[in-house]
mmCIF file of all heavy atoms in Angstrom:
data_model
loop_
_atom_site.group_PDB
_atom_site.id
_atom_site.type_symbol
_atom_site.label_atom_id
_atom_site.label_comp_id
_atom_site.label_asym_id
_atom_site.label_seq_id
_atom_site.Cartn_x
_atom_site.Cartn_y
_atom_site.Cartn_z
ATOM 1 N N ARG A 1 3.023 -29.156 1.020
ATOM 2 C CA ARG A 1 2.412 -28.303 0.060
ATOM 3 C C ARG A 1 1.557 -27.271 0.704
ATOM 4 O O ARG A 1 0.632 -26.778 0.038
ATOM 5 C CB ARG A 1 1.582 -29.123 -0.984
ATOM 6 C CG ARG A 1 2.377 -30.025 -1.831
ATOM 7 C CD ARG A 1 3.343 -29.133 -2.681
ATOM 8 N NE ARG A 1 4.430 -29.756 -3.397
ATOM 9 C CZ ARG A 1 5.695 -29.470 -3.348
ATOM 10 N NH1 ARG A 1 6.034 -28.381 -2.608
ATOM 11 N NH2 ARG A 1 6.664 -30.225 -3.917
ATOM 12 N N ILE A 2 1.567 -27.103 2.043
ATOM 13 C CA ILE A 2 0.750 -26.057 2.600
ATOM 14 C C ILE A 2 1.607 -25.178 3.494
ATOM 15 O O ILE A 2 2.472 -25.528 4.007
ATOM 16 C CB ILE A 2 -0.331 -26.688 3.521
ATOM 17 C CG1 ILE A 2 -1.176 -27.672 2.780
ATOM 18 C CG2 ILE A 2 -1.131 -25.630 4.303
ATOM 19 C CD1 ILE A 2 -2.096 -28.479 3.719
ATOM 20 N N MET A 3 1.368 -23.830 3.315
ATOM 21 C CA MET A 3 2.006 -22.956 4.191
ATOM 22 C C MET A 3 1.164 -21.760 4.577
ATOM 23 O O MET A 3 0.131 -21.537 4.070
ATOM 24 C CB MET A 3 3.281 -22.284 3.345
ATOM 25 C CG MET A 3 3.000 -21.436 2.181
ATOM 26 S SD MET A 3 4.439 -20.899 1.458
ATOM 27 C CE MET A 3 3.778 -19.888 0.089
ATOM 28 N N THR A 4 1.587 -21.085 5.741
ATOM 29 C CA THR A 4 0.867 -19.947 6.204
ATOM 30 C C THR A 4 1.658 -18.694 5.884
ATOM 31 O O THR A 4 2.806 -18.661 6.228
ATOM 32 C CB THR A 4 0.435 -20.046 7.595
ATOM 33 O OG1 THR A 4 -0.355 -21.241 7.759
ATOM 34 C CG2 THR A 4 -0.273 -18.806 8.187
ATOM 35 N N ILE A 5 1.043 -17.739 5.206
ATOM 36 C CA ILE A 5 1.791 -16.467 4.920
ATOM 37 C C ILE A 5 1.120 -15.389 5.763
ATOM 38 O O ILE A 5 0.056 -15.231 5.812
ATOM 39 C CB ILE A 5 1.601 -16.051 3.355
ATOM 40 C CG1 ILE A 5 2.241 -17.242 2.553
ATOM 41 C CG2 ILE A 5 2.258 -14.773 3.112
ATOM 42 C CD1 ILE A 5 2.028 -17.061 1.139
ATOM 43 N N ALA A 6 2.088 -14.563 6.432
ATOM 44 C CA ALA A 6 1.537 -13.481 7.121
ATOM 45 C C ALA A 6 2.167 -12.069 6.500
ATOM 46 O O ALA A 6 3.348 -11.990 6.142
ATOM 47 C CB ALA A 6 2.074 -13.486 8.558
ATOM 48 N N THR A 7 1.204 -11.152 6.214
ATOM 49 C CA THR A 7 1.523 -9.930 5.660
ATOM 50 C C THR A 7 0.968 -8.853 6.601
ATOM 51 O O THR A 7 0.300 -8.997 7.494
ATOM 52 C CB THR A 7 0.942 -9.772 4.177
ATOM 53 O OG1 THR A 7 -0.508 -9.828 4.400
ATOM 54 C CG2 THR A 7 1.482 -10.772 3.214
ATOM 55 N N LEU A 8 1.278 -7.571 6.387
ATOM 56 C CA LEU A 8 0.825 -6.520 7.121
ATOM 57 C C LEU A 8 -0.355 -5.784 6.358
ATOM 58 O O LEU A 8 -0.197 -5.394 5.261
ATOM 59 C CB LEU A 8 1.810 -5.452 7.501
ATOM 60 C CG LEU A 8 2.919 -5.998 8.411
ATOM 61 C CD1 LEU A 8 4.113 -4.918 8.443
ATOM 62 C CD2 LEU A 8 2.408 -6.250 9.746
ATOM 63 N N ARG A 9 -1.429 -5.645 7.101
ATOM 64 C CA ARG A 9 -2.561 -4.784 6.727
ATOM 65 C C ARG A 9 -2.224 -3.296 6.780
ATOM 66 O O ARG A 9 -1.275 -2.998 7.296
ATOM 67 C CB ARG A 9 -3.859 -5.188 7.493
ATOM 68 C CG ARG A 9 -4.239 -6.621 7.485
ATOM 69 C CD ARG A 9 -5.505 -6.775 8.236
ATOM 70 N NE ARG A 9 -5.805 -5.986 9.254
ATOM 71 C CZ ARG A 9 -6.737 -6.026 10.166
ATOM 72 N NH1 ARG A 9 -7.694 -7.047 10.050
ATOM 73 N NH2 ARG A 9 -6.842 -5.341 11.181
ATOM 74 N N PRO A 10 -2.993 -2.524 6.103
ATOM 75 C CA PRO A 10 -2.718 -1.110 6.126
ATOM 76 C C PRO A 10 -2.732 -0.377 7.562
ATOM 77 O O PRO A 10 -2.066 0.427 7.785
ATOM 78 C CB PRO A 10 -3.874 -0.401 5.300
ATOM 79 C CG PRO A 10 -4.429 -1.575 4.377
ATOM 80 C CD PRO A 10 -4.222 -2.772 5.272
ATOM 81 N N ASP A 11 -3.539 -1.055 8.474
ATOM 82 C CA ASP A 11 -3.502 -0.539 9.866
ATOM 83 C C ASP A 11 -2.454 -1.214 10.753
ATOM 84 O O ASP A 11 -2.378 -0.834 11.880
ATOM 85 C CB ASP A 11 -4.911 -0.991 10.529
ATOM 86 C CG ASP A 11 -5.214 -2.328 10.567
ATOM 87 O OD1 ASP A 11 -4.287 -3.194 10.206
ATOM 88 O OD2 ASP A 11 -6.401 -2.757 11.009
ATOM 89 N N GLY A 12 -1.500 -1.930 10.117
ATOM 90 C CA GLY A 12 -0.403 -2.465 10.871
ATOM 91 C C GLY A 12 -0.537 -3.733 11.452
ATOM 92 O O GLY A 12 0.428 -4.337 11.913
ATOM 93 N N TRP A 13 -1.787 -4.209 11.508
ATOM 94 C CA TRP A 13 -2.073 -5.547 12.037
ATOM 95 C C TRP A 13 -1.739 -6.710 11.075
ATOM 96 O O TRP A 13 -1.758 -6.443 9.901
ATOM 97 C CB TRP A 13 -3.553 -5.680 12.558
ATOM 98 C CG TRP A 13 -3.833 -4.943 13.644
ATOM 99 C CD1 TRP A 13 -4.304 -3.602 13.800
ATOM 100 C CD2 TRP A 13 -3.916 -5.494 14.983
ATOM 101 N NE1 TRP A 13 -4.445 -3.381 15.103
ATOM 102 C CE2 TRP A 13 -4.275 -4.427 15.863
ATOM 103 C CE3 TRP A 13 -3.503 -6.683 15.530
ATOM 104 C CZ2 TRP A 13 -4.300 -4.507 17.215
ATOM 105 C CZ3 TRP A 13 -3.517 -6.877 16.905
ATOM 106 C CH2 TRP A 13 -3.939 -5.733 17.766
ATOM 107 N N PRO A 14 -1.263 -7.923 11.505
ATOM 108 C CA PRO A 14 -1.021 -8.937 10.667
ATOM 109 C C PRO A 14 -2.149 -9.658 10.059
ATOM 110 O O PRO A 14 -3.194 -9.663 10.681
ATOM 111 C CB PRO A 14 -0.037 -9.879 11.397
ATOM 112 C CG PRO A 14 -0.483 -9.574 12.963
ATOM 113 C CD PRO A 14 -0.910 -8.196 12.927
ATOM 114 N N GLN A 15 -1.855 -10.107 8.838
ATOM 115 C CA GLN A 15 -2.901 -10.985 8.304
ATOM 116 C C GLN A 15 -2.414 -12.304 7.851
ATOM 117 O O GLN A 15 -1.403 -12.217 7.019
ATOM 118 C CB GLN A 15 -3.584 -10.283 7.043
ATOM 119 C CG GLN A 15 -4.678 -11.125 6.240
ATOM 120 C CD GLN A 15 -5.165 -10.672 4.985
ATOM 121 O OE1 GLN A 15 -4.539 -9.663 4.542
ATOM 122 N NE2 GLN A 15 -6.035 -11.314 4.479
ATOM 123 N N ALA A 16 -2.769 -13.322 8.471
ATOM 124 C CA ALA A 16 -2.150 -14.721 8.084
ATOM 125 C C ALA A 16 -3.197 -15.481 7.375
ATOM 126 O O ALA A 16 -4.268 -15.637 7.764
ATOM 127 C CB ALA A 16 -1.765 -15.398 9.553
ATOM 128 N N THR A 17 -2.655 -16.128 6.275
ATOM 129 C CA THR A 17 -3.522 -17.084 5.516
ATOM 130 C C THR A 17 -2.942 -18.273 5.110
ATOM 131 O O THR A 17 -1.721 -18.199 4.799
ATOM 132 C CB THR A 17 -3.977 -16.294 4.114
ATOM 133 O OG1 THR A 17 -4.564 -14.904 4.338
ATOM 134 C CG2 THR A 17 -4.988 -16.963 3.234
ATOM 135 N N THR A 18 -3.498 -19.380 5.197
ATOM 136 C CA THR A 18 -2.940 -20.663 4.841
ATOM 137 C C THR A 18 -3.258 -20.882 3.211
ATOM 138 O O THR A 18 -4.416 -20.773 2.852
ATOM 139 C CB THR A 18 -3.662 -21.860 5.604
ATOM 140 O OG1 THR A 18 -3.225 -21.604 7.029
ATOM 141 C CG2 THR A 18 -2.997 -23.156 5.155
ATOM 142 N N VAL A 19 -2.205 -21.243 2.620
ATOM 143 C CA VAL A 19 -2.375 -21.301 1.138
ATOM 144 C C VAL A 19 -1.587 -22.659 0.680
ATOM 145 O O VAL A 19 -0.674 -23.127 1.458
ATOM 146 C CB VAL A 19 -1.736 -20.091 0.419
ATOM 147 C CG1 VAL A 19 -2.545 -18.859 0.620
ATOM 148 C CG2 VAL A 19 -0.236 -19.905 0.689
ATOM 149 N N GLY A 20 -1.893 -23.237 -0.395
ATOM 150 C CA GLY A 20 -1.081 -24.214 -0.925
ATOM 151 C C GLY A 20 0.106 -23.616 -1.768
ATOM 152 O O GLY A 20 -0.013 -22.401 -2.073
ATOM 153 N N TYR A 21 1.125 -24.368 -1.944
ATOM 154 C CA TYR A 21 2.358 -23.775 -2.632
ATOM 155 C C TYR A 21 2.952 -24.900 -3.516
ATOM 156 O O TYR A 21 2.786 -26.065 -3.312
ATOM 157 C CB TYR A 21 3.347 -23.137 -1.563
ATOM 158 C CG TYR A 21 4.139 -24.179 -0.797
ATOM 159 C CD1 TYR A 21 5.344 -24.856 -1.386
ATOM 160 C CD2 TYR A 21 3.660 -24.680 0.452
ATOM 161 C CE1 TYR A 21 6.050 -25.694 -0.559
ATOM 162 C CE2 TYR A 21 4.416 -25.680 1.108
ATOM 163 C CZ TYR A 21 5.630 -26.159 0.534
ATOM 164 O OH TYR A 21 6.330 -27.063 1.292
ATOM 165 N N ALA A 22 3.795 -24.362 -4.400
ATOM 166 C CA ALA A 22 4.650 -25.273 -5.198
ATOM 167 C C ALA A 22 6.020 -24.634 -5.099
ATOM 168 O O ALA A 22 6.181 -23.393 -4.880
ATOM 169 C CB ALA A 22 4.212 -25.315 -6.688
ATOM 170 N N ASN A 23 7.159 -25.444 -5.165
ATOM 171 C CA ASN A 23 8.399 -24.811 -5.133
ATOM 172 C C ASN A 23 9.290 -25.379 -6.279
ATOM 173 O O ASN A 23 9.112 -26.439 -6.780
ATOM 174 C CB ASN A 23 9.096 -25.216 -3.760
ATOM 175 C CG ASN A 23 9.408 -26.617 -3.553
ATOM 176 O OD1 ASN A 23 8.536 -27.482 -3.472
ATOM 177 N ND2 ASN A 23 10.665 -26.833 -3.414
ATOM 178 N N GLU A 24 10.273 -24.553 -6.680
ATOM 179 C CA GLU A 24 11.200 -24.904 -7.619
ATOM 180 C C GLU A 24 12.553 -24.575 -6.835
ATOM 181 O O GLU A 24 12.952 -23.324 -6.836
ATOM 182 C CB GLU A 24 11.028 -24.056 -8.859
ATOM 183 C CG GLU A 24 11.989 -24.483 -9.977
ATOM 184 C CD GLU A 24 11.605 -23.755 -11.249
ATOM 185 O OE1 GLU A 24 10.665 -23.072 -11.317
ATOM 186 O OE2 GLU A 24 12.338 -23.901 -12.222
ATOM 187 N N GLY A 25 13.147 -25.493 -6.214
ATOM 188 C CA GLY A 25 14.253 -25.186 -5.431
ATOM 189 C C GLY A 25 13.697 -24.462 -4.117
ATOM 190 O O GLY A 25 12.814 -24.793 -3.423
#
């Protein structure tokens, strides 16, 4: 139930955050 999501900040550097998740399939 835990995942790390990485997105791109406006300056092009990655931002990684650990979050809880739920899934449906």
Side-chain angles (χ1 to χ4, degrees):
R1 290 290 165 235
I2 299 171
M3 67 180 174
T4 299
I5 298 176
T7 58
L8 289 175
R9 298 184 331 185
D11 61 6
W13 284 90
Q15 177 188 7
T17 307
T18 300
V19 297
Y21 74 89
N23 70 297
E24 189 173 354

